[in-house]
Amino acid sequence: MHSLVCKKEVSIISDKICKRDQLLTAVIDLVAEKGYNGVSTKEIAATAGVNEVTLFRQFGNKQNLLETAFHHFHYADEMTKLFQDKITGDLHTDLLLISRSYQEIMYRNRKVMQIALKEHHIFAGFQEKANKHPKKLLELLTQYFDKMLNQGKLIETNTNTQALSFMWMNYGAFISNMYESESSFPSTTMEQFILESAVTFTRALTP
Amino acid sequence: MHSLVCKKEVSIISDKICKRDQLLTAVIDLVAEKGYNGVSTKEIAATAGVNEVTLFRQFGNKQNLLETAFHHFHYADEMTKLFQDKITGDLHTDLLLISRSYQEIMYRNRKVMQIALKEHHIFAGFQEKANKHPKKLLELLTQYFDKMLNQGKLIETNTNTQALSFMWMNYGAFISNMYESESSFPSTTMEQFILESAVTFTRALTP
DNA sequence: ATAGCATGCAAGTGCTTACTTGCATTCATG
DNA sequence: CATGAATGCAAGTAAGCACTTGCATGCTAT
């Protein structure tokens, strides 16, 4: 028993993905760019290369299409694994890893993030879901700082605020680069920032 | 020869501001909340307490109303004055001042910033104008770091990247607090962040 | 071969939107 | 008092919106 969707993916015309997925992709792309009220079902269908009626037969209505797509494309859980697997105990190495992973994951989620940011007045749940993983990461980073503090590898400081500062710095960087094109990511500016900011926080927090 | 607008502000009913200003306020509030395509001219007029026709007679069309309001409410030039007037040469004091001023100005501009962020696909010029002052601030901060470096008050580092990190950190903090209500600003979290982050960067950058 | 399902196409429904028009009302100013 | 500008009100227009219906077509699986 395998997934019911997209039986045609393995069909004769192999490069043709199924209509359902084409619609999900189209709605994310268009809503991220123009906003929910700025794009019509007609336009979504045309972008997906299907008839508008197919959209309604598959998803019932516009809102449900977007909600389905949002949940479908929202990657998750990668940040938690990070802390289980790859943390070394060396502050500089770890901050670098966290920064880089965060930027990569957020960039991959960028369209979903744009939608959550733009449409939170219509889809209250989006914002919450989009912030779930960054919030978890903040929590894990605070715990990490606490552990380092106990081992004498960190100065006396408010670990929660330090974690928040580090995450906000990365969040600001992400937002500023959110509209960069796929091909130019990560930009040299972003790469420089990641390297330099890890050094900065390491110097500031090392006893 | 004084301003042509709002003669009625000084009228008998003194607390009643003129229709034009009521419309400008309403469109900023509503578009910031619901997006340009999420709010109708009817709704804007109703919020402003005027007839919908008055909106069109005063501003011609919806787009012009928003553009006029955007430029009307976009505060400016305060960041530049900061560096001319209040810089002391003590790193910690200055970073604290910059952070606090930035947050205050951005919060005052928050509705305009929300619009620029949401509607940049429709109003290309908004994003540019909204980012003009933060960009100027980044430039000034870099110059400040350069000067401190020359005076031996800063470690050898890429001053531009350091300035960018500091500004991105504050930008991330601003975005996260953008939707906080007037009464609760600045939150205790934000205040803590401003204090702590100034200390962090001072420790990281002081020789 | 046949039944069933997904899809395309054309047309249409009812609603909302931005924007207009004509006329009556108010009101400060000459 | 008279004039003119700003506003309100009611009605209307043309277009676009989400969404529906009926029917024809083609592909899949039994």
Side-chain angles (χ1 to χ4, degrees):
Chain A
M1 154 183 146
H2 63 289
S3 169
L4 288 176
V5 298
C6 283
K7 284 178 273 190
K8 286 195 185 172
E9 271 183 23
V10 287
S11 181
I12 303 133
I13 311 154
S14 63
D15 65 340
K16 180 193 173 192
I17 57 170
C18 88
K19 321 259 175 187
R20 191 188 153 85
D21 283 6
Q22 286 173 280
L23 280 166
L24 292 175
T25 304
V27 74
I28 289 287
D29 285 354
L30 289 173
V31 173
E33 190 195 337
K34 306 182 180 186
Y36 182 76
N37 291 309
V39 60
S40 66
T41 51
K42 198 174 185 172
E43 195 181 353
I44 295 165
T47 302
V50 306
N51 195 284
E52 190 185 0
V53 185
T54 304
L55 185 160
F56 289 104
R57 281 199 272 244
Q58 290 257 7
F59 297 96
N61 56 51
K62 187 184 174 184
Q63 177 149 350
N64 184 248
L65 168 61
L66 179 59
E67 279 172 9
T68 305
F70 186 90
H71 298 134
H72 184 258
F73 284 111
H74 190 229
Y75 310 108
D77 294 329
E78 302 172 73
M79 304 215 192
T80 307
K81 280 181 199 156
L82 223 159
F83 274 86
Q84 294 168 347
D85 301 351
K86 300 192 179 167
I87 291 300
T88 68
D90 175 64
L91 189 57
H92 178 250
T93 310
D94 294 337
L95 286 179
L96 206 56
L97 175 73
I98 291 163
S99 217
R100 222 188 275 287
S101 305
Y102 174 86
Q103 293 298 337
E104 194 209 300
I105 294 170
M106 290 293 275
Y107 186 77
R108 220 174 338 135
N109 272 284
R110 96 198 102 107
K111 282 173 186 172
V112 164
M113 291 291 167
Q114 284 169 33
I115 294 171
L117 208 63
K118 280 181 183 169
E119 313 296 341
H120 75 118
H121 62 290
I122 305 180
F123 305 92
F126 283 8
Q127 190 86 322
E128 203 187 330
K129 181 159 185 181
N131 288 334
K132 199 181 130 203
H133 303 295
K135 237 177 194 151
K136 184 75 184 170
L137 184 53
L138 173 66
E139 205 181 290
L140 291 166
L141 184 58
T142 305
Q143 288 170 15
Y144 170 74
F145 281 164
D146 284 336
K147 214 175 68 185
M148 294 292 277
L149 183 63
N150 285 335
Q151 296 176 10
K153 292 181 183 171
L154 212 84
I155 60 166
E156 279 295 333
T157 182
N158 184 329
T159 53
N160 192 50
T161 307
Q162 293 294 348
L164 195 60
S165 299
F166 191 74
M167 293 318 299
W168 273 348
M169 182 176 69
N170 274 282
Y171 185 52
F174 162 67
I175 299 273
S176 295
N177 285 264
M178 204 164 55
Y179 296 102
E180 295 292 313
S181 69
E182 199 93 37
S183 58
S184 66
F185 182 85
S187 67
T188 56
T189 306
M190 174 60 89
E191 187 57 30
Q192 261 189 333
F193 157 75
I194 292 175
L195 291 171
E196 197 80 55
S197 65
V199 173
T200 300
F201 269 80
T202 303
R203 185 159 200 266
L205 299 180
T206 300
Chain B
M1 155 180 147
H2 63 289
S3 170
L4 290 176
V5 299
C6 281
K7 285 179 274 192
K8 285 193 182 172
E9 269 184 23
V10 287
S11 180
I12 303 132
I13 311 153
S14 62
D15 66 338
K16 181 194 173 191
I17 56 170
C18 86
K19 321 257 175 187
R20 190 186 154 86
D21 283 8
Q22 285 172 282
L23 280 166
L24 292 175
T25 304
V27 74
I28 288 287
D29 285 354
L30 289 172
V31 173
E33 190 194 338
K34 306 183 180 184
Y36 182 74
N37 291 308
V39 60
S40 66
T41 51
K42 198 175 184 173
E43 196 180 352
I44 295 165
T47 303
V50 306
N51 195 285
E52 191 186 359
V53 186
T54 304
L55 186 159
F56 289 104
R57 281 199 271 244
Q58 289 258 6
F59 297 96
N61 57 50
K62 188 184 174 185
Q63 177 149 349
N64 183 246
L65 168 62
L66 179 58
E67 280 171 10
T68 306
F70 186 89
H71 298 133
H72 184 259
F73 283 110
H74 190 230
Y75 310 108
D77 294 328
E78 301 172 71
M79 304 214 191
T80 307
K81 281 181 200 157
L82 223 159
F83 274 85
Q84 295 167 346
D85 301 350
K86 299 192 179 169
I87 291 300
T88 68
D90 176 64
L91 190 56
H92 179 251
T93 310
D94 294 336
L95 286 179
L96 206 57
L97 174 73
I98 291 164
S99 215
R100 222 187 276 285
S101 305
Y102 174 86
Q103 293 298 337
E104 195 209 301
I105 294 170
M106 290 293 275
Y107 187 77
R108 220 174 336 134
N109 272 285
R110 96 197 102 107
K111 282 173 185 172
V112 163
M113 291 291 167
Q114 283 169 34
I115 294 173
L117 208 64
K118 281 181 183 169
E119 313 297 341
H120 74 118
H121 62 290
I122 306 180
F123 306 91
F126 284 9
Q127 190 86 320
E128 202 188 331
K129 181 159 184 179
N131 287 335
K132 199 181 129 204
H133 304 297
K135 236 177 195 150
K136 183 74 186 168
L137 185 53
L138 174 65
E139 203 181 293
L140 291 166
L141 185 58
T142 305
Q143 287 170 16
Y144 170 75
F145 281 164
D146 284 336
K147 213 176 69 186
M148 294 291 277
L149 184 62
N150 284 337
Q151 296 176 10
K153 292 181 182 171
L154 211 85
I155 59 165
E156 280 295 332
T157 182
N158 185 328
T159 52
N160 192 49
T161 307
Q162 293 294 349
L164 195 60
S165 298
F166 191 75
M167 291 320 298
W168 273 348
M169 181 177 70
N170 275 282
Y171 184 53
F174 162 67
I175 299 275
S176 295
N177 284 265
M178 204 164 57
Y179 296 103
E180 294 293 314
S181 69
E182 199 93 38
S183 60
S184 66
F185 183 85
S187 67
T188 57
T189 306
M190 175 60 88
E191 188 56 29
Q192 262 190 333
F193 156 76
I194 292 175
L195 291 171
E196 198 79 55
S197 64
V199 173
T200 301
F201 269 80
T202 303
R203 184 158 200 266
L205 299 180
T206 299

